[in-house]
Amino acid sequence: MLYAGRLSNRQKRIGDLGDVIASIHQSGAPVEFDIAGDGPDRGEFERRAAASIASGCTRMHGALSPEGAASLIDSAHVLMLTSEFEGLPVVMLEAMEAGCVPVVTRIRSGVGD
């Protein structure tokens, strides 16, 4: 599973993603996460997903070049998008083009479409 974007609680709800990853990791499900991006709430995210990061099930990639992000998207099966609001996220379109299934939160803005 892939998250690619700003690591921020405002709008992106990255803390919620950290909780989802922690829950999946605790369940023992064989899921790996790649997190691409950086932002003001990276520390909080890493704290919430600490066990999954420590075990290697969650890999932190930091900010990537467009080519690096495209390569990561190409290798992903699922894109996680936990935003509270969005217009039309380019990363979701890029992931869909690569055959990656988007999993998004139900919100009032464009993503539900």
Side-chain angles (χ1 to χ4, degrees), residues 30-102:
V31 178
E32 295 180 350
F33 295 90
D34 287 294
I35 309 299
D38 207 349
D41 298 312
R42 180 178 179 156
E44 180 183 346
F45 172 81
E46 289 176 339
R47 181 184 56 76
R48 289 183 176 193
S52 183
I53 292 169
S55 73
C57 292
T58 296
R59 293 174 293 275
M60 301 296 294
H61 297 274
L64 297 174
S65 68
E67 297 80 19
S71 177
L72 205 54
I73 289 169
D74 284 343
S75 67
H77 298 283
V78 175
L79 173 77
M80 301 288 289
L81 189 63
T82 54
S83 298
E84 186 171 340
F85 56 93
E86 287 285 347
L88 181 59
V90 173
V91 70
M92 185 179 74
L93 298 177
E94 292 170 337
M96 291 170 62
E97 182 202 21
C100 185
V101 176

Side-chain angles (χ1 to χ4, degrees), residues 81 86-89 92 104-113:
L81 189 63
E86 287 285 347
L88 181 59
M92 185 179 74
V104 301
T105 53
R106 185 177 177 140
I107 57 178
R108 294 182 203 186
S109 59
V111 177
D113 296 336

